[in-house]
Amino acid sequence: MRNILIFFVAAFIIMALPLTGKAQVKPKYNYASQQKLIPAELGVIFMGMDIKAFSQKIKINAAEAEDRFEELKLIIPFNKNNIEKVEVKFTGLGEEQKAKLVKTEKIVEKTEYGDLEREVKRISMPALMTAGKLYEIDIFFKEGADLKKYVVAKFGKPDEVYKKGDQYHFFDMQWTKITSDKLVWLIRYYEETRALMLAGRISGSEWGLDDIK
């Protein structure tokens, strides 16, 4: 009787293993699934890619880094068509990893009052690693660009629109999208700052759906 019981327990464990493994499979985000939501000027980048892979698509050697919070933020000079600047955020980088990635250096800027020296944080290119996940892209457009026309053409009719006097809406338009790689997106357009925010609701990020039941 004991041997029979052991047999059935072992069989149950073996049968359960594939199901457990399946439940633990991480999402495989990719450019092909997300391409329709990403401005063509940014090239082949996608939510969920690691920081090293990102650096091979968009140059970040002149980017300023902000590592005060859990995420790593990069402010990247970007001059292409109507875009003048891009800011991106990565989640999943530990404090030790960020300490290796971020270095402080002094630069001299020319101002109307003369040369000004200041300290900036940069990414140490030799320290780049296949770690972190891109989860937010903030795109700033040049003055004169018809961003409103652009976002409506690209994303369609918005799910939410700001109404004058509404203190609970600080964006002008908002969309929620889902790409074929099962990623949920939050997209916002800000008229005053000529900015477009693309946020992937990736686990572990500030936009993650982890705590939503």
Side-chain angles (χ1 to χ4, degrees):
M1 182 67 181
R2 181 183 177 188
N3 290 337
I4 294 175
L5 180 61
I6 292 173
F7 171 79
F8 279 109
V9 170
F12 176 79
I13 293 173
I14 292 172
M15 291 176 64
L17 283 175
L19 296 176
T20 303
K22 186 176 181 181
Q24 293 177 346
V25 171
K26 295 181 180 179
K28 292 184 178 180
Y29 303 123
N30 59 85
Y31 175 71
S33 299
Q34 302 176 16
Q35 180 179 3
K36 62 182 180 181
L37 298 183
I38 299 172
E41 290 89 344
L42 302 185
V44 187
I45 65 169
F46 59 92
M47 299 295 185
M49 72 190 308
D50 64 75
I51 189 169
K52 186 173 183 178
F54 179 86
S55 73
Q56 294 167 351
K57 302 298 181 180
I58 293 181
K59 292 181 179 180
I60 62 172
N61 55 304
E64 290 195 33
E66 291 186 5
D67 60 346
R68 293 173 296 167
F69 306 106
E70 186 175 349
E71 73 275 5
L72 176 63
K73 178 179 178 180
L74 302 182
I75 304 168
I76 308 169
F78 193 95
N79 187 1
K80 192 170 184 179
N81 293 341
N82 285 324
I83 300 175
E84 65 179 5
K85 182 177 67 172
V86 174
E87 297 181 2
V88 296
K89 293 181 182 179
F90 291 87
T91 188
L93 291 163
E95 292 303 317
E96 290 186 7
Q97 290 176 312
K98 287 191 291 184
K100 291 179 181 178
L101 278 171
V102 179
K103 62 179 181 178
T104 301
E105 62 181 42
K106 291 183 179 180
I107 63 170
V108 176
E109 294 181 332
K110 293 187 179 297
T111 71
E112 58 181 315
Y113 304 106
D115 292 346
L116 176 66
E117 184 179 81
R118 69 182 181 96
E119 287 189 344
V120 296
K121 290 185 176 181
R122 304 280 197 209
I123 293 297
S124 173
M125 304 306 288
L128 279 170
M129 58 191 77
T130 54
K133 290 180 180 179
L134 176 67
Y135 74 91
E136 183 177 325
I137 307 169
D138 296 294
I139 306 163
F140 295 85
F141 288 73
K142 298 174 182 177
E143 189 172 356
D146 193 343
L147 181 53
K148 183 177 181 180
K149 181 180 179 181
Y150 171 81
V151 295
V152 172
K154 189 167 185 65
F155 306 116
K157 183 180 178 180
D159 301 316
E160 294 184 55
V161 177
Y162 169 77
K163 295 178 180 179
K164 190 174 181 180
D166 185 351
Q167 60 181 331
Y168 298 103
H169 285 72
F170 50 88
F171 50 81
D172 292 279
M173 295 182 185
Q174 177 172 285
W175 298 258
T176 298
K177 302 285 185 180
I178 302 177
T179 43
S180 58
D181 54 4
K182 309 303 181 185
L183 178 63
V184 179
W185 293 63
L186 186 64
I187 301 171
R188 288 175 175 172
Y189 152 63
Y190 302 89
E191 185 173 340
E192 185 176 356
T193 55
R194 304 187 305 279
L196 173 65
M197 183 195 81
L198 306 176
R201 309 205 75 164
I202 289 178
S203 177
S205 74
E206 63 194 271
W207 298 112
L209 298 170
D210 313 59
D211 299 327
I212 299 178
K213 304 298 182 182

